Amino acid sequence: MLDNLTQRLAGVIKNLRGQARLTENNIQDALREVRLALLEADVALPVVKEFTAQVKRAALGQEVIGNLNPGQALIGVVHRELTRLMGATSAGINLATVPPAVILMAGLQGAGKTTTSGKLAKLLREQLKKKVLLVSCDVYRPAAIEQLRTLAQQLEIDFFPSDAGQNPRDIALAAHDYAKKHHHDVLIVDTAGRLAIDAAMMEEIRQLHAALGPIETLFVVDAMTGQDAVNTAKAFGDALPLTGVILTKLDGDARGGAALSVRHITGKPIKFVGVSEKLTGLEAFHPERMASRILGMGDVLSLIEEAHREVDQAEAEKLARKVKSGKGFDLDDFKMQIVQMRKMGGVSAMMDKLPAQLSQAAAGSKVDDKAISRIEGIINSMTPQERSQPELIKASRKRRIAAGAGVQVMHVNQLLNQFEQTQKMMKMFSKGGMAKMMRSMKGMLPGMR
Amino acid sequence: MFGFLKKSAPDQPAPEKTSWLGRLKSGLARTGSQLADLFGRGGRIDDDLYEELETILITADVGMDATRFLLAELRHQVKLQHLTEAGQLKEALAHSLLKLLAPLARPLETAAHQPFVIMLAGVNGAGKTTSIGKLARYFQGQGKTVLLAAGDTFRAAAREQLMEWGARNNVTVISQQGGDPAAVIYDAVQAAVARKIDVVLADTAGRLTTQAHLMEEIKKVKRVIAKALPATPTSPAAPHEVLLVLDANTGQNALSQVKAFGDALGVTGLILTKLDGTAKGGVIAAIAKAHPIPVRFIGVGEGLDDLRPFVAEDFVGALLGSDE
């Protein structure tokens, strides 16, 4: 996500590592790199200037204590300042009002308001057990209402129908009435995308806001936004009393500097981030983790959270029992592991969350999503008997499997080797426990494919 | 109605052109006024002036590389022409910008093949479907017959959105409920051949360049289009044009989009949308520097006629706030 910033800063810090102490001079070099890195990451210039000034102030006053070297001390400062700039603690959504709690979505065209409205509805229902009603006030973009209706249907969330001939304010008020009568906890109001300079449209959303009195007014912004993020955020912030920000499309390779800019300009917390095309792809924003990630410390925490949510608990427990017994781990289980991995967005999504050095090592090891689907294909081409007794698979079966999966026999051999190694590891795990396994894994990692 | 359509032809009457230019100008006004202020202030050319200029270019999303390049060009010109006054720098900057952008201004010629198949690609929310609606209108204005292919089978109601555009322009839309994108576009191209249509506009679902499986999918779409209309001795296989749609609000990520879609599809042209906001569109300069791909169209408004061919002189003029 913020890879380049990560790498860039990693380079700076490396340069600093050789230094005995921080001087006015060498911190200047480091700060210039930080400034460039942030600009290339699309952090808006005024924000960059302020940020580097803060870091400098904090760093120069900083005493290098204990075992820390100056480089580590500076990382500490940058990390603290980054975290502080993005909001010190993660802010949840506020629904503490007389129901229905109204959430108003606002933003530019194409920021992702409609998709995010759907994702947010799902999140509120699943994590907070709320009864949610969705309504679209976008009477301008063709089929925008239809889009939200389809999403609501997919998610099995209540949807208040509207049509393009109606007035947005009337739609919103009718939906509010309906939500009240039908005891919905939350009403999410999707709006048309609008330019901050379009006075008539900004007036329209001001009126929507006045009519609805939403407890949350969320500014939806594309993580790929450039320098203009500052102006847009400022204009929306001036027109509407925003309560928070949602950053979308963070699963792309944009460096996400908009996160810093928007947070800085609006002064409002980033409440959620959109991290996948899938309707589960909305996560709470954690400034601390984001800062860690910027600095190349990886986002292992949210990886764990995701694993927890996506992995089928029952299947996982079944697997755990098998692993514990040390036998019976067969190719079907192997495939299931792979499927679970896919559910978490595939290898690339997972690698994205690993610390920079680890993910670079992993990238070198040729584990990619394509290889994984190939493995799945090969296993699918095996008979159930072959899957439970892989030792049956000899030359002629290998040829048949390879033909069935559309791969070379070599690939079948590779898979069987890989499976054998995993099986060995499982046995070791049941006998010698974790420590032994880690030791053997260390030896295996460079050659892993 | 036809008189109205004609207005969108390239040789539009003068008053229409000014209003459109005016909108382009007001879109880029912030940068323009900053620069006008900088150059109009007078005084000598010194390091402070260069630094301020650097700041303005960076905040216009020009990016570090292209900014450095432009500044080096400027310094070179200043030396060569012995410029001393800040005011003289404006023309020099216009010159450098034009030199950078002019190669991108190559309008799209669709007459060479029939049907001329155009495939659109881009990240989510860049404005692909809306651009198709406007392009349909543009080509109709040139007296061409148009067919739309609803290749975005992923996003909810993308098909309906395109059908609405089709209905507004009175254009046939080929679509399938929940079909495979490649199959839908394949059908559309075949239908266009049968009906002797001039231009096919194929929509695709938005995708982020990091989603490897979706990038594979769109490569497949392109391969399948080539099967629907293979190369002949006189013309290459379809698609004849692959347009990447970029949101002008996008920062430096636009470069990685151009590169990734370029690697995957061999992008032959760009559309820059949403220039009517406060975005500066300086990212065009960054693209011109790193991946010079022709900018076929720019969009400066919500209206059907607000997507127009890119003219480097107009763009630079609007960016620098020059007079007509």
Side-chain angles (χ1 to χ4, degrees):
Chain A
M1 183 205 296
L2 289 156
D3 282 348
N4 281 49
L5 194 51
T6 308
Q7 277 166 18
R8 188 130 206 173
L9 282 178
V12 177
I13 302 305
K14 212 182 278 164
N15 291 343
L16 266 182
R17 266 187 196 138
Q19 312 275 344
R21 60 196 164 93
L22 286 178
T23 66
E24 181 87 31
N25 242 342
N26 59 24
I27 200 177
Q28 207 58 40
D29 285 349
L31 286 178
R32 190 156 51 234
E33 287 296 318
V34 170
R35 176 174 181 267
L36 280 180
L38 292 174
L39 281 175
E40 282 186 351
D42 291 323
V43 180
L45 191 63
V47 183
V48 172
K49 280 187 175 155
E50 199 163 318
F51 179 71
T52 43
Q54 272 167 10
V55 168
K56 185 177 175 186
R57 226 175 298 136
L60 284 181
Q62 188 82 12
E63 273 188 55
V64 180
I65 31 167
N67 292 331
L68 290 177
N69 64 38
Q72 287 166 328
L74 186 71
I75 296 180
V77 174
V78 175
H79 183 262
R80 257 200 318 280
E81 291 298 320
L82 270 177
T83 308
R84 207 175 55 78
L85 184 62
M86 290 187 290
T89 52
S90 87
I93 199 147
N94 179 14
L95 301 173
T97 182
V98 184
V102 178
I103 302 176
L104 183 67
M105 312 288 276
L108 293 179
Q109 288 94 341
K113 286 174 298 302
T114 307
T115 306
T116 305
S117 299
K119 287 178 176 177
L120 184 58
K122 181 178 166 70
L123 184 139
L124 292 179
R125 183 184 62 191
E126 281 172 11
Q127 293 184 6
L128 300 176
K129 309 287 173 235
K130 297 294 179 191
K131 186 178 173 193
V132 184
L133 181 69
L134 279 166
V135 64
S136 171
C137 293
D138 185 353
V139 297
Y140 306 97
R141 180 163 62 90
I145 296 171
E146 178 64 19
Q147 185 184 352
L148 191 65
R149 193 188 64 77
T150 312
L151 283 176
Q153 201 174 22
Q154 281 170 13
L155 294 167
E156 293 171 4
I157 300 254
D158 294 338
F159 174 74
F160 185 81
S162 50
D163 77 63
Q166 287 172 284
N167 173 319
R169 190 169 167 273
D170 295 343
I171 297 173
L173 288 176
H176 191 260
D177 264 3
Y178 181 90
K180 213 188 260 172
K181 279 192 195 115
H182 293 78
H183 307 291
H184 286 93
D185 302 311
V186 181
L187 170 66
I188 299 180
V189 183
D190 184 22
T191 63
R194 64 201 71 223
L195 293 169
I197 51 164
D198 188 332
M201 289 295 281
M202 292 309 277
E203 180 55 32
E204 180 200 278
I205 200 160
R206 256 194 302 269
Q207 283 182 10
L208 266 178
H209 185 276
L212 286 166
I215 181 142
E216 288 275 11
T217 304
L218 300 176
F219 178 53
V220 181
V221 63
D222 186 332
M224 294 183 280
T225 311
Q227 295 285 329
D228 196 50
V230 196
N231 301 322
T232 312
K234 185 162 188 330
F236 272 89
D238 288 348
L240 290 169
L242 300 176
T243 57
V245 175
I246 298 184
L247 199 64
T248 61
K249 305 182 211 172
L250 212 49
D251 48 335
D253 57 358
R255 299 166 203 174
L260 281 87
S261 308
V262 171
R263 161 70 216 193
H264 183 73
I265 295 298
T266 61
K268 301 302 174 202
I270 298 170
K271 299 211 164 178
F272 297 99
V273 292
V275 293
S276 153
E277 281 219 314
K278 285 189 284 178
L279 291 167
T280 49
L282 192 70
E283 293 179 353
F285 177 75
H286 298 283
E288 168 78 35
R289 293 183 197 173
M290 186 93 155
S292 298
R293 193 164 163 160
I294 291 169
L295 292 174
M297 298 170 189
D299 188 9
V300 178
L301 275 177
S302 61
L303 191 63
I304 293 170
E305 250 178 31
E306 194 167 341
H308 208 71
R309 195 164 59 232
E310 297 279 356
V311 169
D312 190 325
Q313 282 301 314
E315 292 282 8
E317 271 164 31
K318 200 169 104 195
L319 189 64
R321 273 199 301 279
K322 278 195 176 177
V323 170
K324 227 171 180 179
S325 71
K327 52 188 171 220
F329 178 78
D330 60 21
L331 277 163
D332 264 326
D333 302 316
F334 191 59
K335 185 184 140 196
M336 203 179 66
Q337 274 192 324
I338 289 166
V339 173
Q340 302 257 8
M341 201 141 100
R342 281 246 284 226
K343 270 195 200 162
M344 288 169 58
V347 179
S348 45
M350 280 166 61
M351 287 210 312
D352 208 29
K353 295 205 163 106
L354 291 173
Q357 280 159 325
L358 254 182
S359 73
Q360 266 160 18
S365 69
K366 282 191 184 168
V367 189
D368 59 27
D369 292 329
K370 215 170 162 180
I372 285 191
S373 65
R374 190 164 66 204
I375 291 174
E376 220 184 317
I378 295 174
I379 297 180
N380 283 338
S381 303
M382 297 175 181
T383 64
Q385 203 190 2
E386 284 166 352
R387 289 184 210 180
S388 56
Q389 294 169 267
E391 58 275 11
L392 285 178
I393 303 175
K394 295 284 177 321
S396 79
R397 284 181 193 257
K398 279 180 192 168
R399 273 200 301 278
R400 195 206 73 241
I401 293 166
V407 297
Q408 304 291 315
V409 172
M410 180 185 84
H411 296 129
V412 181
N413 282 332
Q414 268 170 11
L415 164 71
L416 289 172
N417 276 336
Q418 218 172 346
F419 168 70
E420 232 169 76
Q421 279 181 1
T422 315
Q423 206 176 26
K424 256 187 215 152
M425 218 159 69
M426 295 291 181
K427 275 187 188 143
M428 225 180 297
F429 181 64
S430 61
K431 281 179 201 156
M434 206 57 186
K436 205 170 164 190
M437 190 175 80
M438 290 307 280
R439 268 204 302 281
S440 71
M441 255 175 80
K442 236 181 186 168
M444 277 169 62
L445 260 175
M448 196 172 93
R449 357 184 336 135
Chain B
M1 182 175 172
F2 282 107
F4 184 54
L5 287 180
K6 276 207 185 88
K7 273 190 199 162
S8 62
D11 52 337
Q12 63 280 113
E16 238 262 347
K17 191 175 179 195
T18 10
S19 84
W20 190 78
L21 256 184
R23 230 168 312 156
L24 176 60
K25 236 178 182 173
S26 71
L28 304 175
R30 196 183 288 258
T31 309
S33 70
Q34 277 178 334
L35 287 172
D37 177 48
L38 182 65
F39 295 133
R41 217 185 293 155
R44 305 189 66 78
I45 297 173
D46 54 15
D47 280 350
D48 285 351
L49 189 76
Y50 281 121
E51 204 177 310
E52 262 188 79
L53 191 56
E54 180 185 39
T55 303
I56 293 172
L57 291 175
I58 288 174
T59 52
D61 285 325
V62 171
M64 284 311 298
D65 272 357
T67 298
R68 282 198 194 119
F69 170 81
L70 283 170
L71 287 179
E73 274 275 299
L74 269 186
R75 283 178 197 270
H76 181 67
Q77 278 192 56
V78 164
K79 221 172 166 182
L80 217 62
Q81 302 172 20
H82 306 291
L83 305 179
T84 50
E85 297 297 313
Q88 295 171 304
L89 211 53
K90 181 175 176 179
E91 206 166 309
L93 179 63
H95 184 259
S96 305
L97 265 173
L98 202 58
K99 202 167 121 192
L100 190 62
L101 297 182
L104 303 191
R106 278 188 283 153
L108 184 59
E109 276 307 324
T110 60
H113 314 290
Q114 199 217 20
F116 190 93
V117 181
I118 302 175
M119 172 181 176
L120 283 93
V123 298
N124 315 64
K128 283 175 296 307
T129 309
T130 306
S131 292
I132 285 189
K134 294 178 180 173
L135 281 176
R137 180 58 161 269
Y138 172 80
F139 288 122
Q140 277 185 326
Q142 298 186 333
K144 298 196 158 97
T145 49
V146 181
L147 187 124
L148 309 183
D152 184 354
T153 53
F154 179 81
R155 180 166 60 89
R159 196 174 66 105
E160 285 76 5
Q161 188 181 346
L162 197 69
M163 284 164 76
E164 173 71 31
W165 279 114
R168 284 189 198 175
N169 292 329
N170 201 12
V171 168
T172 313
V173 181
I174 303 288
S175 71
Q176 274 170 24
Q177 178 80 53
D180 172 71
V184 175
I185 300 175
Y186 183 90
D187 285 354
V189 172
Q190 292 216 315
V193 172
R195 298 178 199 181
K196 302 214 180 334
I197 296 282
D198 296 322
V199 179
V200 178
L201 293 164
D203 196 10
T204 61
R207 65 203 71 225
L208 297 176
T209 54
T210 45
Q211 294 159 330
H213 61 295
L214 293 179
M215 293 307 280
E216 286 302 321
E217 180 198 80
I218 200 166
K219 280 192 218 169
K220 178 186 150 197
V221 169
K222 191 188 172 196
R223 285 197 301 270
V224 171
I225 294 178
K227 280 184 190 158
L229 195 59
T232 66
T234 53
S235 75
H240 308 104
E241 176 83 3
V242 179
L243 287 176
L244 175 65
V245 182
L246 292 171
D247 182 335
N249 292 298
T250 310
Q252 298 309 301
N253 189 248
L255 290 180
S256 90
Q257 289 173 30
V258 171
K259 180 165 187 335
F261 279 102
D263 289 350
L265 299 173
V267 171
T268 51
L270 305 174
I271 297 182
L272 195 67
T273 62
K274 307 186 205 172
L275 264 173
D276 48 336
T278 45
K280 327 296 191 333
V283 76
I284 286 193
I287 292 169
K289 182 76 186 62
H291 312 280
I293 292 176
V295 178
R296 304 292 196 191
F297 297 93
I298 56 176
V300 296
E302 306 237 273
L304 265 176
D305 296 323
D306 289 333
L307 191 72
R308 295 290 180 81
F310 172 69
V311 180
E313 289 79 9
D314 289 356
F315 189 83
V316 170
L319 193 68
L320 296 187
S322 332
D323 304 322
E324 299 276 301

